[in-house]
Amino acid sequence: MVIHIVHGSNLDRLGNRQLDIYGSHTLDDQVPILKGWLDKHWPNVELKSFQSNIEGEIINYMHSNNGSGNAFLINPGAFTHTSVAISDSIAGLESPVLEVHLSHTYARESYRRNSLLAAHTCGTISGLGWIGYRLGIEALLSLQKD
Ligand code: DQA
């Protein structure tokens, strides 16, 4: 099985942007840590990572990796609240998609409480920082077994 961690807009700047909200970790330091953790517990599961600030590139990435044996953990960044296009794309995927946010989006500005994607995902984890990614991966693996 392959778990694809997909990051959307501005998340390439994690570790440099709004440190008080998103923390000082970067994708480059956290993704290898997640890979090491996954390898230790589920050596047969592969982790791939993709980030783009461009909506269409996220859609293309998900379409080209859709299908059995694939699952997506997506932090869409601000596309969460704006992207009908990514929402439509997820609605048409066979692979499960779980939404994750580093910050507690429900405790922030009111516009962050609405996710256009949530209706088509199998769940949302919000506000747990990088722990949320581990929980999200565990959830996707458990759902796959059911
Ligand atoms: C975010 C929350 C979004 O509202 C925001 O636009 C982001 C990051 C998070 O991980 O907390 O860019 O997805």
Side-chain angles (χ1 to χ4, degrees):
M1 177 172 183
V2 184
I3 304 232
H4 302 266
I5 300 193
V6 178
H7 282 98
S9 49
N10 297 309
L11 295 170
D12 53 330
R13 300 212 61 252
L14 282 176
N16 299 291
R17 95 186 247 242
Q18 297 182 280
L19 302 186
D20 50 324
I21 298 175
Y22 302 117
S24 55
H25 292 297
T26 64
L27 286 186
D28 282 352
D29 69 54
Q30 285 305 296
V31 172
I33 289 173
L34 284 173
K35 277 191 178 154
W37 168 79
L38 193 65
D39 238 25
K40 197 171 147 196
H41 297 282
W42 292 276
N44 298 328
V45 179
E46 195 183 343
L47 191 76
K48 291 190 176 170
S49 169
F50 178 78
Q51 189 279 329
S52 179
N53 295 319
I54 300 165
E55 225 172 341
E57 287 186 355
I58 291 172
I59 293 168
N60 287 344
Y61 181 84
M62 295 179 92
H63 287 176
S64 57
N65 291 286
N66 179 39
S68 105
N70 292 281
F72 297 96
L73 182 65
I74 185 168
N75 182 345
F79 292 143
T80 308
H81 320 295
T82 62
S83 183
V84 174
I86 295 177
S87 177
D88 282 353
S89 145
I90 291 174
L93 295 178
E94 282 85 46
S95 299
V97 180
L98 199 145
E99 185 178 327
V100 64
H101 298 283
L102 290 162
S103 68
H104 190 356
T105 47
Y106 298 98
R108 297 181 62 194
E109 300 93 333
S110 56
Y111 62 84
R112 291 186 204 277
R113 285 181 210 144
N114 186 37
S115 165
L116 296 184
L117 280 50
H120 307 298
T121 62
C122 51
T124 303
I125 297 171
S126 168
L128 301 179
W130 288 97
I131 293 169
Y133 285 69
R134 292 190 187 202
L135 296 175
I137 290 168
E138 287 186 17
L140 285 167
L141 292 172
S142 305
L143 288 167
Q144 207 70 6
K145 278 186 220 140
D146 294 341

